Amino acid sequence: MIVGGLQKFDVVVLGGGLGGCMAALAAAKMGLHVMLTEETDWLGGQLTSQAVPPDEHPWIEQFGCTATYREFRNRVRAYYKENYPLKEEVRQNKFLNPGNGWVSRLCHEPKVAKRVIEDMLAPYVNSGRICVIYQHKPVDASTEGDWIRHVTIEHCVTGERTILKAAYFLDATECGDVLPLAGVEFVMGAEGRSETGEPHASEAANPLDMQAFTYVFALDYIPGGDFTIERPKQYEFWRKFVPRHSRFPLLSWFANDANDTTKFKEYSLFPDERGLMPLWTYRRIIEASLFAKSIYESDISLINWPQNDYFLGPIYGVSDQERNQHLENAKQLSLSVLYWLQTETPRPDGGKGYPGIRLRKDVLDTEDGLAKRPYIRESRRIKALYTVTEHHVSKEIRGDQGICRYEDSVGVGSYHLDLHLTTVTNRTFYIPTYPYEIPLGALLPIRVKNLLPACKNIGTTQITNGCYRLHPTEWNIGESAGYLAAYAVLNQVTPHEVHANKAHLEAYQQLIVQQGVQIHWPDELEV
């Protein structure tokens, strides 16, 4: 493992989430030598260390993603079919969903996603094209004019520092951490309506008004068992906490209705005769009945619900002390949700609590049973040559204009404008959209020449981040950014020159299309 001193690479990718992994893979495929850093000991970000099954669009099984994302999905299904004792009729299902969770057509264990991503990177890691360094985070950067010369990373435990030099630096951190270090112009939190013109923007800009983040955890259920955890130290606070936007306690079965977030909807824990939407099956990653042998005692479900969304404060743009306090509060909230489920949640039979609910620490490989990192929905965002706003994606605003198509598109995606409760104004909404394209201009900082965003930090607003942040889109952003850095190195041009020069733009787009990146939605797509 490379640690200490000065290390030189063609491309440095900071952050080993989905975007970062694909950026590194793309650049390595083009023959470059790449450093990939990761703050935890797991690659994969949203799918692994944050434990969130993929949120996807309705066409995902046919089109609307990159070839490598489809390869990932195929490899996940193949992994289960090759290694798990599935029932024969389940094994024959082309569209196997190991958890049959209703959030996605492919709900699976984080450790399987980790394994598959590592396998996809393996040829380039083992050959030396990609150097992966774990438990490191960026802490400093040196610049010269519009260029970044070095980025310094630090071991999260020992504090030992390494200086990284490269032609291009890609920020794939979950919170856009490289941007302030390198003096890259950025925005965070809520823009004001007068700034973006978006109907759903905040009345006034507030950089600390950010979306909730969540500490996810895994549970199974053994009827008759008692796995009640020690009472969390903040439990009294959370069991009594009523958000100001609600008349219901946060620890209840009432949450904002996605179809109309001004109203509340009642949910249930398990499916029952009341016909309420069951949250147990929402992000279920293992349905035990799919397996021929009883290798699982129970279904396993990942708990990423409205009840454990933490919106009392942000974890970047504030002091380390405040950050750490909010992280601890969020952990306490998730543990309090678990304790409430085990001891006090109302049951349909009139009783309270399910002590047979068990925290599965092994699923996420942590001492406290919570995900290695919180699920981050919103990052710092570059001030870009082009900023995607609500006007470019909202069905209501665009009307019969349909999909907003870009000549400089570098990918596609589709999801609602999904804004979880924000930390200051407590705004939330879920707005229908048209499928969208990813304009290259949104990947280019207004000034800095050799930094590219490769995660949730592209040129969107807080509102459009709500759809561009999802798994397949982040994957696509990282992959296209990796190819862009490689194209720039190999052709001795800057990404800005690629964007400005028609011949280079067409050549770069031809490259990514050949590599399996879909850059436009079909003209005949019915939406």
Side-chain angles (χ1 to χ4, degrees), residues 384-401:
L385 293 188
Y386 182 92
T387 301
V388 180
T389 71
E390 188 179 354
H391 299 84
H392 301 125
V393 293
S394 168
K395 274 192 173 182
E396 180 181 358
I397 295 175
R398 292 194 61 77
D400 58 10
Q401 295 179 84

Side-chain angles (χ1 to χ4, degrees), residues 98-145:
N100 274 333
W102 49 267
V103 71
S104 172
R105 291 165 174 79
L106 187 59
C107 289
H108 55 281
E109 296 157 293
K111 285 183 178 178
V112 172
K114 172 179 174 288
R115 175 63 179 269
V116 169
I117 289 170
E118 288 173 345
D119 286 350
M120 293 176 71
L121 295 177
Y124 302 93
V125 173
N126 295 342
S127 64
R129 287 276 182 86
I130 298 176
C131 175
V132 182
I133 184 168
Y134 293 95
Q135 294 185 305
H136 279 74
K137 61 183 179 180
V139 293
D140 195 14
S142 62
T143 61
E144 185 178 322

Side-chain angles (χ1 to χ4, degrees), residues 9 14 81 237 249 256 260 298 322 332 338 369 373 408 426 450 452 455 460 508 522:
F9 297 85
L14 298 140
K81 292 180 180 183
F237 172 81
N256 292 100
D260 182 352
S298 158
E322 185 172 346
Q332 282 288 306
L338 169 57
R373 295 204 64 184
D408 66 339
N426 289 170
N450 67 330
L452 294 171
C455 193
T460 59
Y508 163 65

